[in-house]
Amino acid sequence: MRPGYSPFPLLLPPSTSFSPLRTPRIARPQQLLFSYPKKRHRAPPGDSPTRRRRRRRRLAKMAEQLYTVASDSETTGEDKSQPSFPDVAIGIDIGTSKCSVAVWNGHQVELLKNTRNQKGMRSYVMFKDDTLSAGVTGGAAKENAHEERDILSGSAIFNMKRLIGRMDTDEVVQASKTLPFLVQTLGIGVRPFIAALVNNMWRSTTPEEVLAIFLLELKALVEMHLKHPVRNAVLTIPVAFSRFQQTRIERACAMAGLHVLRLMPEPTAVALLYAQQQQQLVNDNMGSGIEKIALIFNMGAGYCDAAVAATAGGVSQIRALSGCTAGGEDILQNIMRHVVPNFDNLYAGQTMDRIQSMSLLRMATQDAIHKLVNQETVEINIDLGNGHKVSKVLDHSEFEQVNRAIFDKCEKIINQCLVDAKLVPEDINDVILVGGCSKIPRIRSLVLGLCKKEISYKNIDALEAAVSGAALEGAIASGVNDPSGSLDLLTIQATPMNLGIRANGDSFAAIIPRNTTVPARRDMLFTTTHDNQTEALIAVYEGEGERAEDNHLLGYFKITGIPAAPKGTVEISVCMDIDATNVLRVFAGVVKPQGPATPPFIEVRMPTLDDGHGWCGQALAKMYGKTLDLAVLPKKLQP
Amino acid sequence: MPHLAATPPTSSAAAAVPTAHPTAAGRVAFRRPWDTPRLRVRARGVRREDGGGVRTEDQEQERTSSRTFYDLLGISAEGSPDEVRAAYRRLALKYHPDVSPPGAAAENTRRFIEVQEAYETLSDPSRRASYDRALARGVCLLAFSGRRSQSHRAYHHHHHHQEQEEKFGWRRSWEDQIAELKRRSTTKDSEENLSWGARMRRRAEASSAEQL
């Protein structure tokens, strides 16, 4: 069997052996399948593997020709520059539940539709026999009605945005164990094992791989639409994504042959769209041109974000960002547990009948939550099999009570955003509500109430805003110049999380605090904690926790050759630099005493860690204890 | 942990950083060749009517003389909060790396960080009040920030920062030289005025750009 036609073209080990450069070639059969959605599903009876392979090869050849015509000159669409095409970066919003893609078409942002006329495509990848198909083309089923059931059959992997770049001790990963596919954890801070059900067998994959397959289909859709290859993309990400998770998204993109021009926190993409609209009003002499403050609240299936942006003259300044991992998936799980109180016992361990029963429960609950947006009460009636029937009437107050913890989280991030932006609710001009969950009445009233507003901003589509903003940024970052000035926009971004190192025992010393405008460069002085300490460990963390261990470990390195001196007398400078492209570098070295005996500074690009970052932190602590510790040098008084 | 002990720290640092040159200018050119078209277009655009990326003489003076945050933002000491914000936006459109021409990105990033610091101090009433008090005492001009930042050379007036200053001095002067070379290479078209090294760099840049 030729390597290119292996049943799982993208099922390569997630380790370092994977070269992004090789990806497009390996992946091409997937891309080609896209052109023939009807022929892919089931082999005719009596089909031998050889015949199937031959047919696929023929299909590939046909599609290759088709593709050649479509792209006008390129036969491969890979590894070469395409000077004849304006390489405008596309905007992609990969949602936990749905995904969309948009491009700047020369005049405005245009959202692309798939063959089923959908702008929002379900985010999943279906593993069936020897084919893979993603939700872009609706691979699970030809009819929408069957799609959801197939997604929940255990053969599809979804919610990859919740799983990507997380270790198995993460509560989000733990909560994902109730999904129909396999999520196995060891609880020691390594990658979770995930697998899809293929012919009654669990077949392993990784979130990056699933995302890559999805992005590949998405890329094919865009290329079919634009009739030329695309390479660059701007993706939106949740505010709560760690830098490590960002590298995983970049890796998935590389596997799909996409180059990440920028990763934009979702609410900042919405802020960009808002800035453009405000600028348009000024150009039309309808706006005042004075600074407007917008609070953007975004809640989807997996994440919840808030941002405060100050906008004037096309400049959107992000004053504060905050986010958490609360979303529609949590609401759904809460309601499922509420409806079936012995949920965890009933669905412990994934057997075929349990997967089927849970998928019924999941669909019925999801449907009820959607109905509850417009209804006072909703009735849930399901036969879960094995004589287990559920009949329940759910109203708003019960719904709100069950999900109180989630609404509290939403409240917390909005309040934190306002405090960090040093604003009071009265300062806010517009409240922008986006994301699927922003339709929930309680969410709307909660956000508007906290901002002391009666109504939310009208001119932004809740489901299309993030992707539109990403496409705008894609056009801007690709150097597109619009004569009407509608791309004369600038977003001044901020860091969503504290960046710092472990110091004073297990404390976290933030060197770049959250909501610092980027690019940024900050430094801090540290000192030794033992007499004649010649080495120090710099463990770089990101997060909101007070203890270092409560944060994400990004990487570590040692400073060696510290001149022998009593503790507390040596001065070690640790400088953190986030450059224009959001790359974090850490510089560290001895600044006192000076002389030829001091070692050179060390510059490290972060994150350096690949896998098992949680496990790593514990190993470091176990191995070295306090011998390499540093302490924050108290600031000397200003003269 | 043998791997840590066995690996000299310098080599691990070098491996983590793709460019051996620690200059910010080199880094930008290395990492984001795809950013160049945008910058070029932007430099031509409406935004850049103030003279593009070419540093004018008064900007050169700005860098060397001691000045206040008010001078930096180009407003009077009585400037209202709205004026502070408007000045910040104006300067952000001038110096933010996203709108900078390629040759000036590194220098502009540094200037943007200075502008940001000025804005953060002057837009916060209590910080502005203490800054004004410090100004009145004539203590430090740009130096007042309440935080150490070694990226801004003018900020260091305290003796205990001086060693640190020296430590980074070589890098900064090097970065300045590189930035200056880059600036020249973008403003002068003829290769005759350039050194051999600059010509080689340009050719290498051009050929690597072609390969992309």
Side-chain angles (χ1 to χ4, degrees):
Chain A
M1 193 181 263
R2 283 167 50 182
Y5 294 112
S6 80
F8 292 92
L10 271 163
L11 281 185
L12 294 175
S15 62
T16 46
S17 64
F18 201 101
S19 150
L21 283 175
R22 268 171 50 211
T23 321
R25 196 169 303 123
I26 297 162
R28 208 176 326 125
Q30 276 308 310
Q31 199 168 320
L32 300 170
L33 282 173
F34 174 78
S35 314
Y36 294 90
K38 281 173 191 159
K39 297 196 179 177
R40 155 171 46 107
H41 289 294
R42 186 137 299 162
D47 203 8
S48 74
T50 333
R51 206 186 300 165
R52 203 154 56 218
R53 200 151 56 226
R54 207 178 303 139
R55 190 181 62 242
R56 214 180 302 127
R57 213 171 290 169
R58 196 174 64 238
L59 278 180
K61 203 170 178 189
M62 284 167 62
E64 180 119 33
Q65 285 160 354
L66 196 104
Y67 189 65
T68 309
V69 172
S71 69
D72 209 39
S73 65
E74 294 296 325
T75 48
T76 57
E78 62 181 62
D79 296 340
K80 287 185 195 166
S81 63
Q82 288 94 32
S84 52
F85 302 118
D87 200 5
V88 179
I90 59 172
I92 301 175
D93 174 30
I94 346 152
T96 307
S97 162
K98 283 188 177 169
C99 182
S100 45
V101 60
V103 288
W104 175 260
N105 67 7
H107 315 282
Q108 60 185 27
V109 166
E110 183 186 348
L111 261 80
L112 304 189
K113 291 177 182 171
N114 65 5
T115 47
R116 295 197 293 172
N117 216 24
Q118 294 169 317
K119 283 182 186 169
M121 301 157 242
R122 283 287 273 124
S123 307
Y124 66 89
V125 168
M126 187 75 180
F127 293 68
K128 213 173 211 176
D129 299 328
D130 57 354
T131 55
L132 299 170
S133 50
V136 176
T137 50
K142 283 166 205 142
E143 291 163 57
N144 289 344
H146 291 161
E147 188 175 18
E148 201 64 31
R149 192 186 302 166
D150 279 9
I151 294 171
L152 298 174
S153 65
S155 304
I157 305 279
F158 56 97
N159 277 11
M160 46 267 194
K161 194 175 163 190
R162 296 254 288 187
L163 291 165
I164 200 161
R166 287 187 191 278
M167 42 190 180
D168 62 0
T169 44
D170 197 310
E171 57 178 17
V172 175
V173 175
Q174 294 292 335
S176 300
K177 284 158 112 177
T178 60
L179 297 175
F181 55 89
L182 187 67
V183 178
Q184 217 179 59
T185 59
L186 291 168
I188 55 165
V190 293
R191 264 173 177 274
F193 173 78
I194 68 167
L197 198 58
V198 185
N199 295 333
N200 277 330
M201 199 164 87
W202 290 116
R203 204 169 290 215
S204 78
T205 181
T206 64
E208 289 88 338
E209 195 174 77
V210 173
L211 196 59
I213 296 164
F214 187 88
L215 286 168
L216 206 59
E217 258 194 30
L218 204 64
K219 187 175 176 240
L221 171 75
V222 179
E223 287 177 346
M224 198 173 76
H225 181 91
L226 297 178
K227 299 184 176 59
H228 65 75
V230 291
R231 185 168 150 68
N232 296 329
V234 171
L235 283 89
T236 58
I237 49 163
V239 172
F241 253 29
S242 69
R243 281 180 177 265
F244 177 71
Q245 286 177 297
Q246 293 178 21
T247 66
R248 304 330 286 166
I249 295 282
E250 280 168 356
R251 180 173 184 83
C253 286
M255 285 164 90
L258 281 171
H259 179 261
V260 177
L261 211 52
R262 231 154 253 216
L263 292 176
M264 267 189 123
E266 278 153 31
T268 70
V270 180
L272 182 61
L273 191 65
Y274 176 76
Q276 191 203 32
Q277 291 182 352
Q278 294 305 310
Q279 190 63 359
Q280 201 61 45
L281 287 177
V282 174
N283 292 348
D284 299 344
N285 289 322
M286 287 167 72
S288 53
I290 58 160
E291 188 175 73
K292 289 186 101 173
I293 309 280
L295 182 129
I296 298 140
F297 181 81
N298 170 42
M299 190 170 180
Y303 294 88
C304 170
D305 316 301
V308 171
T311 299
V315 180
S316 167
Q317 183 201 359
I318 306 303
R319 289 269 183 89
L321 280 173
S322 59
C324 65
T325 54
E329 176 66 33
D330 300 293
I331 294 178
L332 181 68
Q333 292 202 8
N334 284 347
I335 299 289
M336 286 201 294
R337 287 201 164 84
H338 180 66
V339 171
V340 181
N342 55 342
F343 180 87
D344 289 300
N345 285 331
L346 210 58
Y347 296 118
Q350 279 145 310
T351 55
M352 296 301 275
D353 56 337
R354 282 176 186 163
I355 291 172
Q356 202 178 6
S357 163
M358 192 157 63
S359 85
L360 291 173
L361 175 64
R362 211 180 154 88
M363 278 190 284
T365 313
Q366 200 152 21
D367 190 48
I369 295 171
H370 288 163
K371 280 183 179 154
L372 209 54
V373 169
N374 299 313
Q375 290 171 205
E376 282 304 312
T377 58
V378 69
E379 210 178 321
I380 304 174
N381 278 312
I382 356 151
D383 184 350
L384 294 173
N386 288 337
H388 193 94
K389 285 191 176 137
V390 169
S391 182
K392 175 124 188 97
V393 176
L394 194 69
D395 64 7
H396 282 276
S397 69
E398 205 171 347
F399 175 83
E400 282 156 25
Q401 202 186 336
V402 170
N403 292 301
R404 172 154 300 172
I406 291 169
F407 300 135
D408 286 348
K409 277 188 183 176
C410 298
E411 191 169 335
K412 200 179 138 215
I413 65 162
I414 293 170
N415 284 331
Q416 188 198 307
C417 230
L418 288 173
V419 169
D420 285 0
K422 299 191 187 90
L423 292 173
V424 291
E426 287 75 13
D427 295 324
I428 297 167
N429 298 96
D430 285 307
V431 175
I432 305 172
L433 288 163
V434 288
C437 286
S438 67
K439 290 193 165 71
I440 295 172
R442 177 70 194 124
I443 299 277
R444 298 190 73 85
S445 64
L446 180 119
V447 182
L448 290 171
L450 287 172
C451 300
K452 297 186 180 166
K453 291 281 172 301
E454 295 295 317
I455 49 162
S456 63
Y457 184 70
K458 288 272 183 278
N459 298 332
I460 277 183
D461 184 295
L463 300 179
E464 298 176 4
V467 72
S468 304
L472 265 185
E473 179 72 14
I476 296 167
S478 305
V480 179
N481 201 11
D482 188 60
S484 71
S486 58
L487 289 179
D488 281 349
L489 303 167
L490 172 68
T491 308
I492 302 173
Q493 293 280 7
T495 54
M497 279 181 265
N498 295 324
L499 289 161
I501 66 164
R502 181 174 173 272
N504 298 348
D506 194 33
S507 299
F508 175 59
I511 296 175
I512 298 186
R514 69 163 181 259
N515 294 320
T516 299
T517 295
V518 285
R521 194 183 176 108
R522 299 279 169 93
D523 68 356
M524 216 164 162
L525 289 177
F526 295 87
T527 189
T528 48
T529 55
H530 306 288
D531 290 336
N532 301 326
Q533 183 180 341
T534 55
E535 294 190 337
L537 183 73
I538 309 286
V540 181
Y541 286 88
E542 172 185 58
E544 303 301 301
E546 293 203 349
R547 292 185 330 131
E549 269 180 39
D550 299 338
N551 300 296
H552 307 277
L553 180 62
L554 295 178
Y556 48 82
F557 56 94
K558 274 201 300 185
I559 296 179
T560 52
I562 300 171
K567 68 178 177 188
T569 53
V570 175
E571 286 183 16
I572 291 165
S573 166
V574 179
C575 173
M576 289 193 166
D577 180 284
I578 303 174
D579 71 9
T581 59
N582 199 28
V583 170
L584 172 68
R585 280 187 171 75
V586 180
F587 305 84
V590 179
V591 289
K592 191 182 171 186
Q594 277 294 312
T598 50
F601 262 56
I602 295 182
E603 174 183 332
V604 184
R605 185 177 163 158
M606 292 283 163
T608 57
L609 284 178
D610 197 17
D611 273 348
H613 41 312
W615 187 78
C616 215
Q618 286 170 15
L620 283 172
K622 195 177 166 193
M623 187 68 131
Y624 292 107
K626 298 189 183 309
T627 55
L628 301 183
D629 272 7
L630 283 177
V632 177
L633 194 73
K635 271 184 193 173
K636 288 170 191 170
L637 289 171
Q638 297 276 343
Chain B
M1 203 168 278
H3 67 277
L4 256 189
T7 317
T10 41
S11 72
S12 70
V17 183
T19 43
H21 288 259
T23 72
R27 240 184 267 138
V28 170
F30 171 81
R31 199 165 345 91
R32 313 207 75 188
W34 54 89
D35 223 17
T36 326
R38 170 194 189 175
L39 301 172
R40 217 177 290 132
V41 172
R42 280 308 191 83
R44 261 192 271 115
V46 205
R47 296 270 176 74
R48 307 301 314 181
E49 72 246 304
D50 53 16
V54 186
R55 261 190 275 126
T56 54
E57 271 180 31
D58 73 305
Q59 283 171 333
E60 286 289 351
Q61 279 168 9
E62 279 174 17
R63 297 183 53 218
T64 46
S65 61
S66 301
R67 297 166 342 112
T68 66
F69 282 156
Y70 294 105
D71 297 336
L72 194 69
L73 292 184
I75 56 170
S76 75
E78 290 77 40
S80 69
D82 281 341
E83 283 175 283
V84 172
R85 279 198 289 273
Y88 169 68
R89 276 197 302 273
R90 184 171 50 78
L91 291 167
L93 283 172
K94 202 167 164 184
Y95 295 123
H96 194 282
D98 280 5
V99 289
S100 294
E107 169 67 13
N108 282 3
T109 299
R110 194 164 70 196
R111 294 194 57 87
F112 176 74
I113 293 174
E114 284 179 11
V115 167
Q116 183 67 34
E117 181 126 28
Y119 163 75
E120 277 171 18
T121 307
L122 299 185
S123 63
D124 180 322
S126 66
R127 279 176 74 180
R128 182 172 174 173
S130 30
Y131 177 70
D132 285 346
R133 277 196 302 277
L135 264 189
R137 292 208 312 273
V139 178
C140 39
L141 299 161
L142 274 180
F144 187 87
S145 64
R147 91 166 81 87
R148 307 178 195 95
S149 38
Q150 62 195 12
S151 59
H152 314 147
R153 94 184 66 178
Y155 290 8
H156 297 283
H157 298 262
H158 315 306
H159 70 277
H160 63 273
H161 280 149
Q162 274 167 7
E163 298 121 335
Q164 192 177 331
E165 192 50 30
E166 280 158 21
K167 188 85 192 172
F168 278 84
W170 64 272
R171 164 169 284 178
R172 234 173 265 119
S173 60
W174 187 18
E175 282 177 358
D176 284 357
Q177 284 169 17
I178 299 274
E180 182 63 13
L181 272 175
K182 289 231 160 202
R183 184 186 71 79
R184 278 194 205 152
S185 70
T186 50
T187 50
K188 288 179 192 169
D189 280 323
S190 73
E191 285 203 341
E192 279 94 73
N193 294 332
L194 297 174
S195 69
W196 176 84
R199 278 203 304 277
M200 291 303 112
R201 263 198 301 279
R202 257 179 101 171
R203 275 176 208 170
E205 265 173 31
S207 63
S208 68
E210 273 164 27
Q211 278 161 17
L212 281 167

